[in-house]
Amino acid sequence: MRGQDAVREVAAELEQAGCPSPRVDAEWLVAHVLGGTRTDVYAGDRALDEPEVSRLRSLAARRRKREPLAYVLGEWGFRRLTLAVDPRVLIPRPETEILVERCLELLDGVQEPRVLDIGVGSGAIALAIVDERRDASVVATDSSPEALEVAAANRLRLGLDERVELRHGDLLAGAEGPFDLVVSNPPYIASEDVGRLQPEVLREPREALIGSGRHAEVAAAVMPALRSAGVLVLEVGDGQALEVAASLRELGYVEVGTTADLAGCERVVDGRKP
Ligand SMILES: C[S@@+](CC[C@H](N)C(=O)[O-])C[C@H]1O[C@@H](n2cnc3c(N)ncnc32)[C@H](O)[C@@H]1O
């Protein structure tokens, strides 16, 4: 079967299954099986052999059952990195790339920064920071031992073992400051909104998704571990920025500001310890 025919066939199946972007997903799946990029599927138009066709069918069947594309592929791109992902971790989102961008801006001019990432998941934020700031070191925590296994595998695969320390536990998990920057993308979907989520999102770990009031909890817990003039950078859900900014001010943070994502939604809140 030619690559383009395979894309057409899989896209039709995915459309019938109600997948929101069937053509693009089909391109990703065919490219993955062929070991190339989505463009290669058209440029090369190489035919799939029998084992490749059967592999494609089994991946497409998983996607038809609304398993997230990233889990089906087993990897996902985040900034300059390709991270292994599976149902033990949240799939890193494009909005979180904006969070990392803001951290890098705030670290500009800070020599050999020490960073704390609370709720590391796949390792996306921690690994992107050390990848893009070669003099940074990160301590990263997670309350989920399963998520930490994925983060450790990504850290090893990317050769970043020396610069990211992983710790199991709640919030700081005993990590000691002073930190120049603390970053967190805590669970921020209210439990009453679960019914409105796409089936794909429901396959992601609940402890990574569902939470309320977590931003203030993180902000209060990390204050003593921040150095003076150190910064806290938080990702927030749609419509949460004002409330989170107010709680940072109440806790004594100064220079509190927000950054919008590409959709124009205020997605990042940051503040400085006096
Ligand atoms: C929204 S996910 C973020 C994952 C990753 N940082 C990212 O941005 O893709 C939140 C993560 O925080 C972890 N978590 C939830 N509650 C926590 C707590 N009290 N202490 C530490 N980690 C926690 C979850 O297990 C999950 O991995």
Side-chain angles (χ1 to χ4, degrees), residues 57-125:
R57 290 203 198 293
S58 94
L59 296 179
R62 287 170 60 190
R63 184 68 192 102
R64 278 202 308 276
K65 291 185 194 141
R66 305 296 297 270
E67 186 172 343
L69 181 67
Y71 292 162
V72 176
L73 298 174
E75 60 182 28
W76 204 238
F78 184 78
R79 291 186 68 93
R80 309 194 308 199
L81 307 175
T82 301
L83 299 165
V85 290
D86 65 33
R88 292 174 290 177
V89 290
L90 185 96
I91 299 160
R93 304 293 204 270
E95 301 89 276
T96 308
E97 302 195 51
I98 308 280
L99 176 75
V100 171
E101 190 69 39
R102 183 66 184 141
C103 291
L104 294 171
E105 268 170 31
L106 289 162
L107 289 175
D108 205 24
V110 182
Q111 301 302 310
E112 299 187 2
R114 276 197 86 217
V115 174
L116 172 66
D117 173 12
I118 294 184
V120 68
S122 64
I125 300 168

